[in-house]
Amino acid sequence: MNWVVFKSVCDIPEKIWDEKIAEGHPGKLSNFLKTLEQSCGDREFCYFVSYDRDEIISCCLITLNNIDGCIFLPMVLSNWVNRIRRIFPHWMVFKIAMTGTLETAGRHWWYNPDRLSWNDYIIALNEQINSYFHKSHVIIFRDFFTHSDLLPKEISFVLEREGFREVANLPLAIIHLNYSTEKDYLKSLKRRVRATIRKMLEIIKYNELYVEYVNDFNTLIEEIYPLYLAVNKNAKELKIPPLPKEYFKKLNDELRGTSNVITIRDKNNIMIGFILSLDNSKIANPFFMGMDYKVAREFYLLYALLWAAICCALEKGQSIVDLGVTNYFIKQGLGATLCSMRMFVRFRNPILNKLLYPLIPVIFQPQQPMLRSSRGKL
């Protein structure tokens, strides 16, 4: 088995990446990853491909990121870390080599089970990562859904033997649309949520707000970007560095026809919210959101944007709305179920990994969301 490391998804055959790894998901396709590669110069994208003679038998995306460890910690611990950083500025800032990217979720690898066993693949890939990313502090292998086709014991046994510790990642919020109309879907929601949606729609009408669907959003980027930065700055469950403005232009150019924006404007034609979605015939993936926080609560903007995205998916006949991570309570109210994801973490240094192994869940496991009860208040 020979290994080659490529620096761009453009070097990977589409039948390998788009069909076997992304499986057609609009938020993981090669053209989407290409926009990240072109816009994120502070990251290193590496595609580890193994060959048996001339045949590709495995492929995995590993990105090297400088990540603030506070994104994994509860607010109380983050505050303590920030105090320590007054003396040690780089405390808890890790160089992390991980499968996938900060923006994407799910599986970012594939191997041919007819040519490799899971055991042999993980051992060989782990050796390649260790050798290539010799300056990294941490290695993370993610994401495993709990309903994975592989037996959990088989997954965990191999990875834990290689020194990894299993922790929970943030779950994905997924809506399965089994309804054909907005009215039918609204009826399926809990009574209090229905009342909130109706109130939100009345507020939109009373305040003369209007919702617009835009395919080519290049001319809207100057309006979109400050709203995106506001949401990024106010994020609580997952804080990651914002993408540059140029990224949105590249996204519009590369994914024209499969990306779109839903905007909300006030009666003075000022944009106060947007949601950017990546689509295919089956999946709607609302990916980026922006809001004017001065009016967000007054106009129920989070509900309004998510509801607009769901209604758009219903209109297109899509069967899945992938709402990603964060804002779980509201998304559950709108009909989403939480799909648990697991990841495996280890320190690259074997001595440090042995010493800190018991603390890995404390350092790297994000605070998990509460499940919403049927009587939960909004």
Side-chain angles (χ1 to χ4, degrees):
M1 182 166 58
N2 298 316
W3 289 86
V4 179
V5 178
F6 295 104
K7 293 295 187 175
S8 174
V9 72
C10 297
D11 298 318
I12 310 299
E14 285 189 10
K15 67 177 182 179
I16 297 293
W17 188 268
D18 287 348
E19 294 179 19
K20 295 185 181 297
I21 298 177
E23 297 181 309
H25 192 291
K28 281 170 51 178
L29 289 174
S30 54
N31 54 0
F32 174 74
L33 286 174
K34 182 181 175 182
T35 64
L36 287 176
E37 292 171 2
Q38 293 171 342
S39 304
C40 302
D42 58 334
R43 307 184 205 173
E44 188 174 354
F45 289 76
C46 297
Y47 298 82
F48 286 75
V49 178
S50 66
Y51 292 85
D52 185 358
R53 298 179 183 176
D54 294 331
E55 181 187 355
I56 295 177
I57 59 174
S58 76
C59 178
C60 179
L61 167 61
I62 308 287
T63 56
L64 184 65
N65 313 263
N66 288 315
I67 296 181
D68 185 344
C70 286
I71 72 170
F72 303 108
L73 298 175
M75 188 62 68
V76 175
L77 292 179
S78 294
N79 291 337
W80 278 104
V81 170
N82 288 326
R83 290 178 185 177
I84 295 172
R85 284 178 180 167
R86 294 172 188 172
I87 303 171
F88 304 103
H90 299 292
W91 177 257
M92 286 284 290
V93 176
F94 301 107
K95 276 190 178 297
I96 296 181
M98 70 176 182
T99 58
T101 74
L102 292 170
E103 291 76 21
T104 54
R107 179 173 58 85
H108 292 79
W109 71 89
W110 165 84
Y111 70 97
N112 186 340
D114 295 328
R115 309 295 290 275
L116 279 173
S117 69
W118 170 251
N119 180 81
D120 291 341
Y121 176 57
I122 288 300
I123 291 173
L125 180 61
N126 194 32
E127 288 177 355
Q128 292 296 315
I129 296 170
N130 263 332
S131 174
Y132 194 88
F133 295 110
H134 57 275
K135 292 185 178 180
S136 65
H137 304 130
V138 178
I139 297 173
I140 298 180
F141 210 89
R142 50 172 281 260
D143 293 300
F144 296 89
F145 289 103
T146 53
H147 58 270
S148 173
D149 291 333
L150 287 167
L151 294 174
K153 287 183 180 179
E154 181 183 349
I155 293 172
S156 59
F157 175 76
V158 176
L159 286 162
E160 287 174 0
R161 191 178 60 193
E162 292 295 303
F164 288 88
R165 178 74 185 265
E166 182 179 352
V167 299
N169 199 357
L170 289 170
L172 277 183
I174 302 289
I175 294 178
H176 294 275
L177 293 176
N178 300 313
Y179 304 88
S180 55
T181 68
E182 176 184 335
K183 184 177 180 181
D184 289 340
Y185 188 73
L186 184 62
K187 286 181 181 178
S188 72
L189 302 178
K190 300 294 183 182
R191 177 178 58 83
R192 290 187 180 184
V193 179
R194 293 200 305 269
T196 300
I197 296 297
R198 292 190 179 106
K199 184 177 181 180
M200 175 267 295
L201 294 172
E202 290 172 2
I203 288 172
I204 287 177
K205 184 177 180 180
Y206 178 80
N207 289 279
E208 300 178 44
L209 309 181
Y210 63 97
V211 180
E212 186 179 19
Y213 178 92
V214 183
N215 275 315
D216 186 344
F217 53 86
N218 191 49
T219 59
L220 303 180
I221 292 173
E222 293 299 325
E223 294 179 277
I224 283 173
Y225 194 65
L227 300 177
Y228 159 73
L229 289 179
V231 168
N232 182 275
K233 181 180 178 180
N234 284 275
K236 292 182 175 62
E237 290 143 314
L238 181 63
K239 286 184 174 291
I240 62 175
L243 292 162
K245 187 191 298 184
E246 293 73 23
Y247 170 78
F248 290 89
K249 186 179 189 313
K250 293 183 189 301
L251 189 68
N252 181 64
D253 294 341
E254 287 289 335
L255 279 76
R256 191 168 297 172
T258 58
S259 62
N260 56 77
V261 166
I262 299 171
T263 65
I264 299 179
R265 294 182 181 273
D266 65 14
K267 60 183 178 183
N268 297 315
N269 199 35
I270 296 173
M271 189 186 297
I272 57 175
F274 81 91
I275 193 163
L276 190 158
S277 186
L278 309 175
D279 291 354
N280 63 22
S281 60
K282 295 181 180 179
I283 301 172
N285 184 200
F287 213 86
F288 296 110
M289 183 184 293
M291 290 184 292
D292 182 347
Y293 279 84
K294 295 192 296 292
V295 296
R297 186 179 295 273
E298 177 187 356
F299 294 151
Y300 287 56
L301 280 184
L302 182 53
Y303 273 99
L305 291 166
L306 292 173
W307 184 249
I310 293 168
C311 292
C312 184
L314 284 166
E315 191 174 319
K316 291 181 177 181
Q318 293 164 314
S319 56
I320 294 174
V321 182
D322 180 349
L323 293 175
V325 299
T326 75
N327 295 306
Y328 294 106
F329 191 74
I330 289 176
K331 290 174 181 177
Q332 286 179 87
L334 290 171
T337 56
L338 303 188
C339 299
S340 298
M341 295 192 295
R342 311 292 293 181
M343 58 185 182
F344 291 80
V345 182
R346 72 174 175 86
F347 288 93
R348 185 181 173 279
N349 183 300
I351 297 174
L352 192 62
N353 193 58
K354 189 172 183 178
L355 289 173
L356 297 180
Y357 192 83
L359 295 178
I360 285 177
V362 177
I363 301 171
F364 294 105
Q365 180 166 291
Q367 188 171 356
Q368 298 299 293
M370 297 292 291
L371 291 178
R372 179 175 183 147
S373 70
S374 59
R375 296 178 179 272
K377 295 183 179 180
L378 295 170

